C-alpha cells in the first residue's frame, strides 16, 4: 500500500505468475487513490490474508545517527557542487541594475539552502516513519519520507534475505536488510530501514524454521 502526504493511498499487488506486459502493468492496482480509512477497509475485504495485528518497531537511535551522517554528506556534496555556480551567478547578477541586481544574486544561495533543509527534513521524517514488523506468517516494511510505502510480505515467497552493515552503520550498531521475493518478474527485492542486525536476521531464521519443519515438503502438499 502506498499512502501519500494527503492521507490518501492506493493498493498495489505483486502477482506471482503474471508474465505479460512490462513495467507498471506487472503491478496491478487493486484500488486507486482513496482516503486511508477506506483503503484499510478494502484491504480487509480484498486480501484478508495480508492483514494481521501488527506490532511495528521504529528505527532505533543508531539509525538516526546513520541517517544524519548521510544527510550531512549529501548536503556537503550539494554545496560543493553549487559553489562555482553560486559565485558565477552572484557576480553576474550583482552587475545588473535595479531590483534585479538586488534580488537575483540571492536566488541560487536561497535555493541551495532550502535544498539542504529539505534533505534534513526528509531525514527527520524518515526516522519517524520507517517501521519493521514480523508476524507469524507475514512481515512488513514501512519506508518513505514524502510518500510512505507499506509492503506486507509472506515468508513463503522469500528467496533470500541479505543483511548488510556499512562502516557507518556498523559504528552505530544497525544494519539494513534486502529481501528478495518470488514475483511476477521472476524476482523482486524490498529494502528495510536501519534496525539491529539480529532483528532483521529474524526474517531469514523464520523462513529456515518453516523449511526445517517440513512445511514446504512437496510430498506433503501434493494431491
Amino acid at each position: 500500500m502506498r499512502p501519500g502526504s494527503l492521507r490518501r493511498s492506493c493498493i498495489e499487488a505483486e502477482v506471482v505468475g503474471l508474465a505479460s506486459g512490462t513495467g507498471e502493468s506487472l503491478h496491478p492496482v487493486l484500488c486507486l487513490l482513496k482516503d486511508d480509512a477506506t483503503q484499510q477497509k478494502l484491504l480487509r475485504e480484498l486480501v484478508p490474508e495480508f492483514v494481521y495485528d501488527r506490532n511495528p518497531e521504529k528505527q532505533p537511535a543508531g539509525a538516526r545517527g546513520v541517517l544524519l551522517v548521510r544527510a550531512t554528506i549529501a548536503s556537503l556534496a550539494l554545496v560543493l557542487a553549487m559553489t562555482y555556480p553560486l559565485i558565477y551567478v552572484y557576480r553576474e547578477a550583482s552587475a545588473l541594475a535595479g531590483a534585479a541586481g538586488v534580488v537575483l544574486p540571492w536566488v541560487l544561495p536561497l535555493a541551495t539552502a532550502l535544498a539542504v533543509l529539505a534533505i534534513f527534513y526528509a531525514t527527520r521524517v524518515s526516522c519517524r516513519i520507517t517501521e519493521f514488523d514480523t508476524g507469524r506468517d507475514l512481515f512488513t516494511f514501512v519506508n518513505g519520507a514524502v510518500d510512505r510505502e507499506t509492503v506486507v510480505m509472506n515468508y513463503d515467497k522469500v528467496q533470500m534475505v541479505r543483511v548488510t552493515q556499512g562502516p557507518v552503520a556498523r559504528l552505530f550498531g544497525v544494519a539494513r536488510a534486502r529481501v528478495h521475493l518470488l514475483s511476477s518478474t521472476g524476482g523482486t527485492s524490498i529494502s528495510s530501514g536501519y534496525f539491529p542486525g539480529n532483528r532483521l536476521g529474524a526474517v531469514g531464521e523464520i523462513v529456515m524454521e518453516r523449511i526445517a519443519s517440513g512445511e514446504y515438503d512437496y510430498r506433503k502438499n501434493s494431491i
Side-chain angles (χ1 to χ4, degrees), residues 122-164:
T123 297
R124 180 177 178 273
V125 173
S126 177
C127 290
R128 179 171 55 85
I129 287 177
T130 305
E131 296 176 353
F132 169 57
D133 174 70
T134 53
R136 182 179 180 275
D137 298 311
L138 305 168
F139 63 101
T140 302
F141 288 165
V142 180
N143 293 302
V146 178
D147 290 330
R148 187 183 311 178
E149 182 180 51
T150 301
V151 184
V152 181
M153 294 161 279
N154 193 314
Y155 293 111
D156 297 348
K157 298 298 184 287
V158 173
Q159 293 180 313
M160 181 174 66
V161 180
R162 183 180 181 184
V163 180
T164 58

Side-chain angles (χ1 to χ4, degrees), residues 35-179:
D35 62 275
D36 291 345
T38 300
Q39 293 289 27
Q40 290 297 330
K41 181 180 178 181
L42 287 173
L43 200 63
R44 290 180 172 85
E45 293 178 355
L46 294 173
V47 282
E49 64 273 20
F50 281 90
V51 178
Y52 68 104
D53 293 330
R54 293 176 53 208
N55 185 25
E57 302 176 28
K58 297 291 186 180
Q59 292 184 115
R64 186 176 295 106
V66 176
L67 293 174
L68 286 174
V69 170
R70 290 179 55 186
T72 301
I73 293 174
S75 298
L76 288 175
L78 175 63
V79 171
L80 289 175
M82 295 299 294
T83 298
Y84 178 76
L86 284 169
I87 295 173
Y88 177 80
V89 171
Y90 184 85
R91 287 177 176 175
E92 293 296 321
S94 297
L96 298 175
V102 176
V103 176
L104 291 180
W106 300 103
V107 171
L108 200 55
L110 180 59
T112 304
L114 290 175
V116 171
L117 289 175
I119 291 172
F120 280 95
Y121 177 74
T123 297
R124 180 177 178 273
V125 173
S126 177
C127 290
R128 179 171 55 85
I129 287 177
T130 305
E131 296 176 353
F132 169 57
D133 174 70
T134 53
R136 182 179 180 275
D137 298 311
L138 305 168
F139 63 101
T140 302
F141 288 165
V142 180
N143 293 302
V146 178
D147 290 330
R148 187 183 311 178
E149 182 180 51
T150 301
V151 184
V152 181
M153 294 161 279
N154 193 314
Y155 293 111
D156 297 348
K157 298 298 184 287
V158 173
Q159 293 180 313
M160 181 174 66
V161 180
R162 183 180 181 184
V163 180
T164 58
Q165 277 186 310
V168 178
R170 195 178 304 116
L171 179 65
F172 288 96
V174 292
R176 296 189 73 180
R178 180 176 291 274
V179 178

Side-chain angles (χ1 to χ4, degrees), residues 215-223:
E215 184 171 343
Y216 302 142
D217 192 336
Y218 72 93
R219 289 170 297 182
K220 292 183 178 180
N221 299 323
S222 60
I223 299 177

Side-chain angles (χ1 to χ4, degrees), residues 1 5 11 19 84 111 115 136 165 176 185 190-191 194 200 204:
M1 189 167 68
S5 56
I11 303 175
Y84 178 76
R136 182 179 180 275
Q165 277 186 310
R176 296 189 73 180
T185 57
I190 308 296
S191 295
Y194 289 95
L200 295 173

